[in-house]
Amino acid sequence: MLFDIEVKISLKSGMLNPEASTIERSLALLGYEVKNAKTVDIIKFQMEGEDREVIRENVVDMCERLLCNPVIHNYKINVIPQNMACGK
């Protein structure tokens, strides 16, 4: 079975986010007043396997070892069997 994987990575609360600060300042220069901008990285890929929970455990391991720094990042994982994905 093929699974669609989506990992959303964001900075933990209290961490400096220079990218979001730059976005806020740039939007202010364009006349838009925004507050509390946050940035999120989204990584999408597919994995093949039979057990959704095993796939999820593998993705957690990927996050902890490579995709993010668990000291400063939070991450959310979405594992969707491809036959249940929208439009399939």
Side-chain angles (χ1 to χ4, degrees):
M1 176 180 283
L2 198 58
F3 293 88
D4 291 323
I5 313 296
E6 180 181 85
V7 180
K8 292 182 181 180
I9 301 170
S10 60
L11 286 169
K12 288 185 176 182
S13 180
M15 298 303 300
L16 293 177
N17 189 338
E19 184 177 27
S21 297
T22 299
I23 290 168
E24 281 184 7
R25 285 192 307 272
S26 297
L27 288 172
L29 290 172
L30 294 173
Y32 300 103
E33 199 62 39
V34 297
K35 301 286 183 201
N36 301 319
K38 296 182 188 326
T39 57
V40 176
D41 292 325
I42 299 174
I43 303 169
K44 293 183 178 186
F45 54 93
Q46 294 179 328
M47 291 182 70
E48 200 167 323
E50 295 303 316
D51 187 338
R52 186 179 192 163
E53 284 309 307
V54 170
I55 295 289
R56 182 173 188 71
E57 289 171 15
N58 287 332
V59 176
V60 167
D61 188 50
M62 291 176 195
C63 289
E64 298 284 327
R65 296 176 64 196
L66 176 70
L67 298 178
C68 68
N69 178 347
V71 173
I72 64 169
H73 293 118
N74 289 321
Y75 57 88
K76 293 182 181 178
I77 299 169
N78 197 5
V79 179
I80 304 167
Q82 200 166 71
N83 60 352
M84 295 186 67
C86 186
K88 302 282 182 199

